[in-house]
Amino acid sequence: MESAPPVVVAIDGPSGTGKSSTSKAVAAQLALSYLDTGAQYRAITWWMVSNGIDLEDPSAIAAVAGKPEIVSGTDPANPTITVDGIDVAGPIRTQEVTAKVSAVSAVPEVRTRITELQRALAGSAEHGIVVEGRDIGTTVLPDADLKVFLTASPEARAARRSGELKGSDVHSTREALLKRDAADSSRTASPLAKAADAVEVDTTELTLAQVIECVVTLVQEKQAGK
Protein backbone atom coordinates (compact mmCIF):
# COMPACT_ATOMS: atom_id res chain seq x y z
CA MET A 1 0.00 0.00 0.00
CA GLU A 2 1.35 3.41 -0.92
CA SER A 3 2.01 5.64 2.06
CA ALA A 4 0.03 8.87 2.18
CA PRO A 5 1.89 12.01 1.14
CA PRO A 6 3.20 14.19 3.99
CA VAL A 7 0.70 16.80 5.06
CA VAL A 8 0.99 19.89 7.26
CA VAL A 9 -2.17 20.55 9.28
CA ALA A 10 -2.76 23.78 11.23
CA ILE A 11 -5.41 23.62 13.96
CA ASP A 12 -6.26 26.92 15.60
CA GLY A 13 -8.89 28.18 18.01
CA PRO A 14 -9.40 29.46 21.53
CA SER A 15 -9.02 27.42 24.75
CA GLY A 16 -11.62 24.79 25.57
CA THR A 17 -12.62 23.93 22.00
CA GLY A 18 -11.00 20.49 22.15
CA LYS A 19 -7.95 21.58 20.20
CA SER A 20 -5.28 19.58 22.04
CA SER A 21 -7.27 16.36 22.37
CA THR A 22 -8.34 16.54 18.72
CA SER A 23 -4.89 17.39 17.37
CA LYS A 24 -3.15 14.62 19.32
CA ALA A 25 -5.71 12.01 18.30
CA VAL A 26 -5.68 13.01 14.62
CA ALA A 27 -1.86 12.92 14.55
CA ALA A 28 -1.80 9.50 16.23
CA GLN A 29 -4.47 8.06 13.93
CA LEU A 30 -2.72 9.26 10.76
CA ALA A 31 0.88 8.57 11.95
CA LEU A 32 1.81 12.27 11.85
CA SER A 33 3.99 14.28 14.21
CA TYR A 34 2.26 16.58 16.69
CA LEU A 35 3.17 19.98 18.11
CA ASP A 36 1.41 21.82 20.93
CA THR A 37 2.59 25.39 20.36
CA GLY A 38 0.81 26.62 23.48
CA ALA A 39 3.15 24.45 25.55
CA GLN A 40 6.11 26.32 24.05
CA TYR A 41 4.67 29.67 25.11
CA ARG A 42 3.93 28.23 28.53
CA ALA A 43 7.51 26.92 28.70
CA ILE A 44 9.09 30.30 28.00
CA THR A 45 6.66 31.88 30.51
CA TRP A 46 7.66 29.29 33.14
CA TRP A 47 11.33 30.14 32.51
CA MET A 48 10.64 33.87 32.90
CA VAL A 49 8.74 33.31 36.17
CA SER A 50 11.47 30.97 37.48
CA ASN A 51 14.15 33.51 36.68
CA GLY A 52 12.36 36.45 38.27
CA ILE A 53 11.86 38.43 35.05
CA ASP A 54 9.53 41.43 35.48
CA LEU A 55 6.53 40.35 33.41
CA GLU A 56 5.01 43.83 33.65
CA ASP A 57 7.92 45.08 31.52
CA PRO A 58 7.82 43.95 27.85
CA SER A 59 11.38 45.20 27.27
CA ALA A 60 12.66 42.98 30.11
CA ILE A 61 10.87 39.99 28.53
CA ALA A 62 12.20 40.86 25.06
CA ALA A 63 15.79 41.12 26.34
CA VAL A 64 15.89 37.48 27.51
CA ALA A 65 13.55 35.85 24.95
CA GLY A 66 16.47 34.09 23.27
CA LYS A 67 17.99 32.62 26.43
CA PRO A 68 16.03 29.45 27.34
CA GLU A 69 16.58 26.34 25.25
CA ILE A 70 13.14 24.89 24.53
CA VAL A 71 12.89 21.39 23.04
CA SER A 72 9.55 19.88 22.01
CA GLY A 73 9.06 16.16 21.39
CA THR A 74 6.54 15.57 18.57
CA ASP A 75 5.29 12.03 19.30
CA PRO A 76 1.50 12.39 19.74
CA ALA A 77 1.46 9.43 22.14
CA ASN A 78 4.02 11.14 24.37
CA PRO A 79 4.52 14.83 23.61
CA THR A 80 7.39 16.11 25.73
CA ILE A 81 8.77 19.57 26.47
CA THR A 82 11.98 20.57 28.19
CA VAL A 83 13.56 23.91 29.06
CA ASP A 84 17.35 23.87 29.45
CA GLY A 85 17.11 20.10 29.81
CA ILE A 86 14.43 20.20 32.55
CA ASP A 87 11.13 18.37 31.98
CA VAL A 88 8.49 21.09 32.40
CA ALA A 89 5.38 19.23 31.17
CA GLY A 90 3.85 19.50 34.67
CA PRO A 91 5.08 22.92 35.88
CA ILE A 92 3.88 24.77 32.74
CA ARG A 93 0.25 23.86 33.52
CA THR A 94 0.13 25.66 36.89
CA GLN A 95 -2.31 28.51 37.47
CA GLU A 96 0.61 30.93 37.87
CA VAL A 97 1.91 30.19 34.35
CA THR A 98 -1.62 30.15 32.89
CA ALA A 99 -2.30 33.63 34.30
CA LYS A 100 0.88 35.08 32.80
CA VAL A 101 1.24 33.37 29.42
CA SER A 102 -0.82 35.96 27.50
CA ALA A 103 1.44 38.82 28.67
CA VAL A 104 4.61 36.96 27.72
CA SER A 105 3.31 35.67 24.37
CA ALA A 106 2.21 39.17 23.35
CA VAL A 107 5.85 40.34 23.21
CA PRO A 108 6.97 40.34 19.53
CA GLU A 109 10.49 39.06 20.33
CA VAL A 110 8.98 36.06 22.11
CA ARG A 111 6.68 35.31 19.18
CA THR A 112 9.53 35.60 16.68
CA ARG A 113 11.65 33.18 18.72
CA ILE A 114 8.91 30.60 19.21
CA THR A 115 7.67 30.89 15.61
CA GLU A 116 11.17 30.00 14.38
CA LEU A 117 11.15 26.88 16.56
CA GLN A 118 7.70 25.91 15.27
CA ARG A 119 8.61 26.34 11.61
CA ALA A 120 11.79 24.29 12.07
CA LEU A 121 9.84 21.42 13.64
CA ALA A 122 7.14 21.53 10.95
CA GLY A 123 9.78 21.62 8.21
CA SER A 124 11.60 18.57 9.56
CA ALA A 125 8.52 16.36 10.07
CA GLU A 126 9.09 13.57 7.56
CA HIS A 127 5.52 12.26 7.30
CA GLY A 128 3.78 15.52 8.09
CA ILE A 129 2.60 17.17 11.28
CA VAL A 130 -0.43 18.48 13.11
CA VAL A 131 0.39 21.84 14.68
CA GLU A 132 -2.10 23.35 17.11
CA GLY A 133 -2.21 26.88 18.44
CA ARG A 134 -3.76 30.28 17.94
CA ASP A 135 -1.90 31.76 14.96
CA ILE A 136 -0.68 28.72 13.05
CA GLY A 137 -2.80 29.12 9.91
CA THR A 138 -2.42 32.90 9.82
CA THR A 139 1.22 33.48 10.83
CA VAL A 140 3.33 30.43 11.63
CA LEU A 141 2.40 28.16 8.71
CA PRO A 142 0.37 30.25 6.24
CA ASP A 143 1.12 27.65 3.53
CA ALA A 144 -0.19 24.69 5.59
CA ASP A 145 -1.94 22.05 3.45
CA LEU A 146 -5.02 22.15 5.66
CA LYS A 147 -6.18 24.77 8.15
CA VAL A 148 -8.88 24.02 10.69
CA PHE A 149 -10.37 26.55 13.12
CA LEU A 150 -12.21 25.03 16.08
CA THR A 151 -14.87 27.06 17.88
CA ALA A 152 -17.43 26.39 20.63
CA SER A 153 -19.77 28.46 22.76
CA PRO A 154 -18.18 30.07 25.87
CA GLU A 155 -20.46 27.91 28.05
CA ALA A 156 -19.33 24.65 26.41
CA ARG A 157 -15.70 25.69 26.60
CA ALA A 158 -15.98 26.64 30.28
CA ALA A 159 -17.70 23.36 31.14
CA ARG A 160 -14.93 21.37 29.40
CA ARG A 161 -12.13 23.39 30.95
CA SER A 162 -13.72 23.11 34.43
CA GLY A 163 -13.86 19.36 33.92
CA GLU A 164 -10.13 19.41 33.19
CA LEU A 165 -9.38 21.69 36.16
CA LYS A 166 -11.13 19.46 38.70
CA GLY A 167 -13.38 21.33 41.08
CA SER A 168 -13.05 24.71 39.41
CA ASP A 169 -16.06 26.98 39.19
CA VAL A 170 -17.65 27.07 35.71
CA HIS A 171 -18.57 30.76 35.94
CA SER A 172 -15.07 31.93 36.90
CA THR A 173 -13.58 29.59 34.29
CA ARG A 174 -15.85 31.16 31.64
CA GLU A 175 -14.77 34.66 32.68
CA ALA A 176 -11.09 33.65 32.57
CA LEU A 177 -11.52 32.12 29.09
CA LEU A 178 -13.23 35.25 27.74
CA LYS A 179 -10.50 37.43 29.24
CA ARG A 180 -7.84 35.25 27.60
CA ASP A 181 -9.73 35.43 24.26
CA ALA A 182 -9.80 39.22 24.44
CA ALA A 183 -6.08 39.42 25.22
CA ASP A 184 -5.14 36.94 22.47
CA SER A 185 -7.43 38.46 19.84
CA SER A 186 -6.39 42.07 20.44
CA ARG A 187 -2.62 41.70 20.69
CA THR A 188 -0.63 43.38 17.94
CA ALA A 189 1.71 40.45 17.24
CA SER A 190 -0.02 37.47 15.61
CA PRO A 191 -3.45 37.74 17.21
CA LEU A 192 -5.80 34.77 17.55
CA ALA A 193 -7.66 34.82 14.25
CA LYS A 194 -9.23 32.46 11.75
CA ALA A 195 -7.33 32.20 8.45
CA ALA A 196 -9.40 33.12 5.40
CA ASP A 197 -8.92 29.62 3.95
CA ALA A 198 -9.51 27.70 7.20
CA VAL A 199 -12.35 25.20 7.64
CA GLU A 200 -14.35 26.20 10.73
CA VAL A 201 -15.65 23.39 12.93
CA ASP A 202 -18.06 24.33 15.75
CA THR A 203 -17.54 21.70 18.46
CA THR A 204 -20.28 22.92 20.83
CA GLU A 205 -22.70 20.08 20.08
CA LEU A 206 -20.12 17.48 19.02
CA THR A 207 -18.48 14.75 21.05
CA LEU A 208 -14.68 14.61 20.97
CA ALA A 209 -14.89 11.45 18.82
CA GLN A 210 -17.04 13.30 16.27
CA VAL A 211 -14.62 16.23 16.10
CA ILE A 212 -11.67 13.85 15.61
CA GLU A 213 -13.54 11.96 12.87
CA CYS A 214 -14.40 15.23 11.12
CA VAL A 215 -10.78 16.45 11.09
CA VAL A 216 -9.35 13.05 10.09
CA THR A 217 -11.72 13.07 7.10
CA LEU A 218 -10.60 16.58 6.11
CA VAL A 219 -6.93 15.53 6.29
CA GLN A 220 -7.52 12.35 4.27
CA GLU A 221 -9.38 14.30 1.59
CA LYS A 222 -6.46 16.72 1.39
CA GLN A 223 -3.95 13.85 1.11
CA ALA A 224 -6.05 12.17 -1.59
CA GLY A 225 -5.93 15.36 -3.63
CA LYS A 226 -2.14 15.84 -3.33
Side-chain angles (χ1 to χ4, degrees):
M1 184 178 131
E2 249 185 83
S3 63
V7 63
V8 175
V9 182
I11 299 186
D12 289 307
S15 303
T17 51
K19 214 168 46 198
S20 293
S21 307
T22 300
S23 300
K24 261 188 279 200
V26 169
Q29 209 167 311
L30 298 174
L32 303 173
S33 297
Y34 160 75
L35 178 60
D36 173 2
T37 63
Q40 294 176 310
Y41 284 105
R42 286 173 172 274
I44 200 165
T45 302
W46 173 85
W47 184 91
M48 301 264 175
V49 169
S50 303
N51 284 275
I53 307 303
D54 179 4
L55 300 188
E56 301 289 313
D57 180 1
S59 61
I61 295 171
V64 294
K67 285 197 167 182
E69 187 194 1
I70 299 166
V71 178
S72 300
T74 57
D75 175 359
N78 181 33
T80 56
I81 185 149
T82 63
V83 178
D84 297 334
I86 301 163
D87 176 359
V88 293
I92 64 172
R93 302 293 170 186
T94 61
Q95 196 50 50
E96 184 179 22
V97 169
T98 299
K100 292 171 177 168
V101 69
S102 279
V104 173
S105 59
V107 176
E109 288 81 358
V110 170
R111 298 206 76 80
T112 299
R113 166 85 202 288
I114 301 294
T115 296
E116 284 169 2
L117 289 178
Q118 292 163 0
R119 286 177 178 158
L121 284 164
S124 62
E126 198 180 332
H127 301 293
I129 190 167
V130 178
V131 184
E132 58 132 321
R134 284 172 164 72
D135 66 338
I136 311 306
T138 51
T139 302
V140 180
L141 300 169
D143 297 327
D145 298 303
L146 173 67
K147 300 173 188 178
V148 178
F149 193 85
L150 297 183
T151 64
S153 70
E155 292 69 27
R157 292 166 53 208
R160 289 171 190 162
R161 190 42 64 93
S162 301
E164 289 169 21
L165 309 166
K166 299 287 183 269
S168 69
D169 165 37
V170 175
H171 177 73
S172 58
T173 302
R174 180 180 183 276
E175 294 307 304
L177 284 172
L178 292 174
K179 189 178 170 189
R180 174 84 194 268
D181 286 355
D184 289 347
S185 302
S186 61
R187 64 171 179 243
T188 319
S190 304
L192 164 66
K194 177 188 163 192
D197 54 347
V199 178
E200 185 169 321
V201 178
D202 186 335
T203 69
T204 306
E205 302 291 336
L206 301 178
T207 64
L208 178 59
Q210 288 171 322
V211 180
I212 293 164
E213 184 185 359
C214 171
V215 178
V216 164
T217 302
L218 288 169
V219 176
Q220 288 174 328
E221 285 172 355
K222 187 59 70 172
Q223 286 176 315
K226 281 190 95 174

